[in-house]
Amino acid sequence: QKSAEIAAEEAAAGGINWTFAPMVDITRDARWGRVMEGAGEDAFLGSKIAEARIKGFQGDLSSNKNIIACAKHFAGYGFAEAGKEYNTVDVSDETLHNIIFPPFKASVNAGVRTFMNSFNQLNGIPATGNKFLQRDVLKGAWNFQGFVVSDWGSIKELVTHGYAKNNNDAAEIAINAGSDMDMESNVYVKHLNDLVKSGKVNETTIDDAVRRVLKIKC
């Protein structure tokens, strides 16, 4: 918690108000290149470290020394097959609910303001376009009130996964699945207006995403 407090103070002094941390992915394959960024292989320890880092980064957000935290990567990123970055993730419900989810639930309970989704597929569906993860679990069962940002270019990568036909289709899938902010793909700014006009995306869906983002910014 103290290390996150120091990092937040230094970042805030430089004009930064949001960090893409903590990474709360549980992993059990040392071949995965990002093992040093997370808390290891134990869900309980990972949950406690997630909570501590979030409290350190955010404090009560009334001070100019605190910054917004972002729990990532939702979800399953640390279980990529053979430890290969971006690889498929195929896990049981038991592993998902008892190993992968707990640090993310702890992050919500600790008051984290933002979530980042992940590059990987989870049981056949890319996380960025996964309604079960983002709407049913995170915003539904867990009542998360912040916003979800895509990982770097991950909305456009729905096409690479073969889950979307093109960028327009990717934008439709991602926003309807609950990805509120598009990082780097630029497909929202290019396609959402037309998707709303065509009726493929409900205007209330956009309103919800915008409301979540503005609430955090304020």
Side-chain angles (χ1 to χ4, degrees):
Q1 181 172 336
K2 186 64 177 178
S3 69
E5 288 175 358
I6 294 169
E9 183 173 355
E10 292 181 349
I16 295 169
N17 53 29
W18 185 24
T19 181
F20 293 151
M23 188 189 92
V24 303
D25 296 295
I26 298 300
T27 186
R28 293 177 168 179
D29 192 330
R31 293 173 295 180
W32 189 47
R34 299 182 70 163
V35 291
M36 77 297 293
E37 192 179 351
E41 61 185 28
D42 184 79
F44 178 78
L45 176 62
S47 297
K48 290 300 183 182
I49 292 179
E51 179 182 355
R53 294 188 71 197
I54 289 163
K55 289 181 177 179
F57 284 131
Q58 293 188 164
D60 59 10
L61 290 177
S62 63
S63 167
N64 59 9
K65 295 182 179 180
N66 296 117
I67 61 177
I68 298 294
C70 183
K72 65 181 188 181
H73 307 82
F74 196 60
Y77 194 42
F79 275 74
E81 288 184 356
K84 294 179 179 178
E85 184 78 342
Y86 285 40
N87 207 357
T88 299
V89 172
D90 191 349
V91 295
S92 67
D93 285 346
E94 192 277 334
T95 296
L96 184 63
H97 288 273
N98 292 331
I99 306 300
I100 293 172
F101 277 170
F104 290 102
K105 181 60 165 60
S107 297
V108 174
N109 293 344
V112 73
R113 297 304 201 271
T114 66
F115 260 60
M116 182 185 294
N117 55 42
S118 55
F119 288 118
N120 56 276
Q121 289 188 10
L122 177 65
N123 299 337
I125 301 175
T128 303
N130 196 312
K131 179 179 178 293
F132 165 72
L133 287 176
Q134 297 171 107
R135 294 210 182 274
D136 297 349
V137 175
L138 181 59
K139 296 177 180 179
W142 297 352
N143 195 32
F144 175 64
Q145 296 297 306
F147 71 85
V148 179
V149 60
S150 76
D151 207 336
W152 182 271
S154 67
I155 296 179
K156 188 163 56 178
E157 288 180 1
L158 292 175
V159 180
T160 307
H161 279 295
Y163 197 73
K165 296 187 294 289
N166 49 45
N167 288 344
N168 184 78
D169 192 35
E172 176 187 347
I173 291 170
I175 192 70
N176 283 332
S179 295
D180 302 304
M181 181 182 286
D182 173 10
M183 178 171 35
E184 200 278 331
S185 289
N186 296 314
V187 297
Y188 278 5
V189 70
K190 292 178 181 177
H191 298 291
L192 284 185
N193 187 47
D194 289 338
L195 286 167
V196 171
K197 288 180 177 179
S198 68
K200 292 182 177 180
V201 173
N202 196 301
E203 190 170 341
T204 59
T205 301
I206 305 298
D207 290 342
D208 177 64
V210 171
R211 189 179 296 112
R212 287 171 178 274
V213 173
L214 292 181
K215 180 181 178 181
I216 300 305
K217 286 188 173 184
C218 291

